Amino acid sequence: LKKNKTNKITNAQGEKLTGIVTNIASKVCQALVGQQIVNCVVPASLLSERSSVVVGDNVQLVPVGGEQYRLTDVLPRTNVYKRGDRRSPGQEIIVAANVDCLLVVVTADYMVHQAGFIESALISAKRAGMATAIFVSKLDLVGTSAQAIIQEKLKPYQEIAEAVCVGSSLEYCEELVKSLRSKTTIVIGDRGCGKSTLIKSIVANLQGAPLGKDKLPSTHATSYYSDLVDTNLIDTPGIRDLALSNVTAEERSFAFPEITGLSAECQFRSCTHIHEAGCKVLDELRQGRLRRERYDAYQSTIEPVAKQKKVDKEPVNDVDYRHTGCQESFYCKKCGELVTPFGAGTEHRNHCPKCLASVHVDNRPGDRASLCHGLMEPVSVWVRKGGEWAVIHRCKECGELSSNRIAADDNAMLLMSLAVRPLSMPPFPLHTLASHE
Ligand SMILES: [Zn+2]
Ligand SMILES: [Zn+2]
Ligand SMILES: [Zn+2]
């Protein structure tokens, strides 16, 4: 895609040229000067500072003989696009400079089951003063009901984003191309989201050329595509998580408009929507009108420090219960029974053996990541492969369902009554069963 036309750069020896950085390696970079990509040495003075040269930077170069150039200056940036770093929280990484638009790509499968990436993309773009476009790829790989879910889930973004498009990755998307024309756009998405294929098809569309068969090289570094007259695309390596820190309440309400709308109806002004009575957000979550993954993504933008203050009654504890059995004793939140690890016949005592109640502390088994801490009521039992029974718990606060193995000393009478409860309350008179033959 990069032009390698050899229209020689004509300049008097020593005169500075202006170019755009398209690629960066350790001590060298490539820059687009006019229609040509040239190799430049980056001086040590610029390398010493982190992110002093990034893709998209306007730079000045001087020729140093042969086909080589040396970068002398980085011109002032109009803006920078940044993301966080999960390994060093609070740190920010500059991904590119002088960008107008962010294009975030997720697969249809992601869109159906997960949330959080698009939301943080919207926030990251807002911080950089950029517009956002959304593309949901690989729509052909999900069924019709999933496609309906996607349309529903995209609704909140229609107002916020510049363009919201869905398609199979090889299809041109006119609306998307229109929104990117004459802009410099950075494209982000997880590995395998179809980002590179999409870039290729957008480029072909802009050039009015048929889509070539050659595959784009997989992206290991941020790189710049610019033989599109005045439209530029910046491809990035797979990003799964933007790791944003210090998300403000204002940014949260921008990315989660429907939750903010509900908050206005909560009983308390400073409602955290975690455990408050009369919380409209929790109510909608219980009723299934607010999607759980959106709710979880919303809560995950709140800093752990801020969370800690609210859950002060929980002892701080570094054991990872995903891999370690829980050997602690506790008093049942419902019936007050002292529950010890003895007699459970399992390493993981999940619920009270006497009343079968539990507490909503996990998002995934053992992670202790839930902020809910609501009482989990036993609502049913089911039989796993191999005949093992498990109790279905439902959280009284947020409506979350979970399945948990029974313990050796669980109240057998209560388990039996849970198992037969639907039979004792049939939704139709039993004598009508015969007529269904
Ligand atoms: Zn609330
Ligand atoms: Zn109990
Ligand atoms: Zn809960």
Side-chain angles (χ1 to χ4, degrees), residues 238-378:
I239 299 173
R240 175 180 307 214
D241 176 10
L242 292 166
L244 299 186
S245 47
N246 305 317
V247 177
T248 65
E250 191 197 341
E251 288 172 331
R252 238 188 317 280
S253 59
F254 166 72
F256 299 91
E258 85 279 33
I259 295 181
T260 319
L262 292 170
S263 309
E265 295 175 53
C266 287
Q267 218 147 72
F268 306 102
R269 265 205 102 133
S270 58
C271 188
T272 60
H273 323 307
I274 293 171
H275 47 66
E276 289 86 347
C279 171
K280 185 71 180 165
V281 175
L282 286 174
D283 193 41
E284 293 289 295
L285 185 67
R286 262 182 238 121
Q287 307 290 328
R289 289 192 291 262
L290 171 64
R291 296 196 63 100
R292 168 157 291 277
E293 61 274 17
R294 280 281 282 183
Y295 173 81
D296 287 344
Y298 176 91
Q299 293 293 6
S300 75
T301 62
I302 297 167
E303 297 294 308
V305 188
K307 285 175 191 168
Q308 218 75 63
K309 282 186 208 136
K310 279 158 204 150
V311 212
D312 49 1
K313 48 191 169 196
E314 287 310 306
V316 180
N317 171 338
D318 287 335
V319 184
D320 187 342
Y321 292 118
R322 286 171 302 173
H323 312 296
T324 314
C326 176
Q327 293 298 319
E328 282 160 43
S329 300
F330 58 90
Y331 286 99
C332 172
K333 199 171 171 179
K334 190 176 179 198
C335 72
E337 178 86 352
L338 174 65
V339 183
T340 65
F342 313 114
T346 158
E347 290 243 283
H348 299 266
R349 174 79 86 180
N350 159 273
H351 48 262
C352 168
K354 190 176 166 198
C355 74
L356 307 181
S358 179
V359 178
H360 189 184
V361 289
D362 293 344
N363 284 338
R364 303 250 154 75
D367 67 3
R368 298 294 187 268
S370 176
L371 301 171
C372 177
H373 296 253
L375 190 69
M376 302 282 287
E377 286 185 308

Side-chain angles (χ1 to χ4, degrees), residues 2-11 17-24 28-42 59-71:
K2 288 169 212 151
K3 278 228 169 115
N4 287 318
K5 264 192 211 155
T6 49
N7 39 342
K8 260 259 174 266
I9 301 167
T10 50
N11 67 294
L17 297 165
T18 305
I20 300 170
V21 175
T22 59
N23 262 303
I24 295 186
V28 292
C29 72
Q30 289 189 310
L32 181 73
V33 180
Q35 293 280 304
Q36 192 179 349
I37 298 273
V38 300
N39 292 320
C40 324
V41 177
V42 181
V59 290
Q60 290 195 308
L61 326 162
V62 288
V64 289
E67 297 283 296
Q68 292 293 316
Y69 292 79
R70 188 166 58 82
L71 198 154

Side-chain angles (χ1 to χ4, degrees), residues 399-414:
E400 175 82 333
L401 292 168
S402 74
S403 157
N404 302 285
R405 292 163 65 179
I406 63 165
D409 56 354
D410 276 356
N411 183 335
M413 186 63 108
L414 207 49

